[in-house]
């Protein structure tokens, strides 16, 4: 974690960057411990200890997977003109699919569903990738809902031998992490497209400034994934 600095001194300007770093570090710790435990660390644990530890690690992996996906998506949304009030309190499932807030307020109207992730992906022609994999993404959300339903529900304790509990932990955590990785690969594609688009526009604008364009004349209307064209005033 870099030293905290004010934005005007090189610090982060994105509200979600520091949260993303923290969650990444926590997730790494949980994954490493889960792998070690599934392969036999803490050999003194009896059947009950092993099953409790399996449940704890399963839920932590699931929760941190969803939270990391959320923060990565919100970090990208923060780079757009979409107001933070629209997505700041949304969970992963709502970012993937939620009722249109305008239609929801209209009397007698059935709101259609919108996707803020799809809104992010559309300018870069990646929305179909997210759409075609929606069931994979929602599977992660559904696992979370089934595990944490109403915040008090959880898998019941089902005591068995330590070896079976460890084997189940390895299988279930691998399943969650495969879905988590799949989601992050899509987010990575989106992030790379956004960065390339911004770099291209930055190079073009910097060239104009080197050629004498004044800073006050650089208030351009930049459209995502649309080539930057400068039309000087008459």
């Amino acid at each position: 974690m870099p030293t905290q600095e004010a934005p005007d001194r090189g610090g982060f300007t994105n509200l979600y960057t520091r949260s993303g770093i923290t969650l990444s570090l926590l997730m790494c710790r949980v994954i490493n411990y889960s792998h070690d435990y599934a392969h036999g660390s803490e050999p003194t644990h009896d059947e009950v200890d092993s099953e409790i530890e399996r449940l704890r690690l399963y839920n932590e992996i699931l929760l941190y997977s969803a939270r990391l996906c959320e923060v990565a998506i919100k970090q990208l949304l923060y780079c757009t003109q979409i107001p933070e009030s629209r997505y700041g309190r949304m969970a992963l499932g709502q970012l993937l699919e939620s009722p249109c807030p305008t239609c929801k307020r209209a009397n007698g109207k059935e709101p259609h569903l919108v996707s803020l992730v799809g809104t992010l992906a559309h300018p870069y022609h990646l929305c179909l990738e997210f759409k075609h994999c929606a069931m994979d993404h929602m599977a992660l959300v559904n696992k979370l809902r089934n595990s944490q339903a109403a915040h008090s529900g959880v898998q019941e304790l089902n005591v068995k031998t330590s070896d079976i509990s460890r084997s189940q932990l390895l299988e279930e955590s691998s399943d969650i992490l495969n879905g988590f990785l799949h989601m992050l690969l899509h987010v990575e594609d989106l992030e790379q497209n956004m960065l390339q688009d911004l770099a291209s526009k930055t190079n073009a604008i910097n060239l104009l400034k080197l050629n004498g364009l004044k800073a006050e004349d650089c208030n351009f209307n930049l459209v995502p994934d649309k080539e930057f064209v400068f039309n000087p005033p008459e």
Side-chain angles (χ1 to χ4, degrees):
M1 176 74 77
T3 304
Q4 190 162 359
E5 296 284 353
D8 59 350
R9 296 188 178 186
F12 296 129
T13 58
N14 194 307
L15 295 179
Y16 298 96
T17 299
R18 299 187 74 85
S19 295
I21 293 171
T22 303
L23 286 169
S24 297
L25 295 171
L26 291 170
M27 183 70 163
C28 288
R29 184 67 60 91
V30 172
I31 291 172
N32 288 338
Y33 183 79
S34 174
H35 179 272
D36 290 344
Y37 193 83
H39 287 86
S41 70
E42 305 294 344
T44 59
H45 277 193
D46 62 16
E47 288 85 352
V48 175
D49 292 328
S50 298
E51 182 64 4
I52 291 173
E53 197 70 350
R54 179 193 71 79
L55 286 171
R56 180 182 74 83
L57 291 168
Y58 170 81
N59 281 282
E60 285 193 18
I61 289 172
L62 188 55
L63 285 166
Y64 282 127
S65 294
R67 292 181 73 187
L68 256 176
C69 288
E70 282 177 31
V71 79
I73 292 167
K74 289 178 181 180
Q75 190 176 28
L76 297 184
L77 284 166
Y78 190 78
C79 299
T80 71
Q81 292 182 324
I82 300 172
E84 205 250 342
S85 59
R86 275 290 313 276
Y87 57 83
R89 299 179 65 85
M90 281 187 169
L92 179 60
Q94 294 170 304
L95 292 170
L96 291 167
E97 189 177 78
S98 59
C100 169
T102 303
C103 293
K104 194 175 179 181
R105 286 193 294 266
N107 292 329
K109 245 187 182 179
E110 184 69 26
H112 63 277
L113 297 176
V114 296
S115 170
L116 285 173
V117 176
T119 301
L120 266 178
H122 179 74
Y124 306 100
H125 313 289
L126 294 173
C127 46
L128 289 180
E129 288 187 25
F130 278 96
K131 181 180 178 181
H132 291 158
C133 290
M135 293 311 296
D136 293 327
H137 303 330
M138 293 306 292
L140 178 65
V141 178
N142 288 334
K143 282 188 178 74
L144 181 63
R145 287 173 179 159
N146 293 339
S147 173
Q148 296 291 318
H151 302 287
S152 60
V154 70
Q155 285 187 30
E156 291 184 7
L157 199 68
N158 181 18
V159 179
K160 45 217 176 247
T161 68
S162 292
D163 286 344
I164 292 176
S165 286
R166 293 173 193 276
S167 177
Q168 185 177 348
L169 171 63
L170 184 62
E171 181 180 346
E172 290 180 337
S173 60
S174 296
D175 180 51
I176 296 167
L177 292 171
N178 282 330
F180 171 65
L181 177 62
H182 188 85
M183 170 78 93
L184 287 188
L185 288 172
H186 283 306
V187 175
E188 180 187 31
D189 285 345
L190 179 54
E191 181 184 41
Q192 290 301 315
N193 275 268
M194 291 177 72
L195 288 172
Q196 290 167 12
D197 184 42
L198 288 170
S200 173
K201 290 179 169 66
T202 299
N203 290 337
I205 293 170
N206 283 340
L207 185 60
L208 289 171
K209 290 170 72 177
L210 286 172
N211 289 330
L213 187 67
K214 296 180 180 178
E216 56 266 26
D217 295 326
C218 292
N219 188 23
F220 305 114
N221 181 25
L222 304 177
V223 181
D225 205 42
K226 295 291 184 185
E227 185 179 357
F228 170 70
V229 177
F230 176 60
N231 295 311
E234 297 291 336

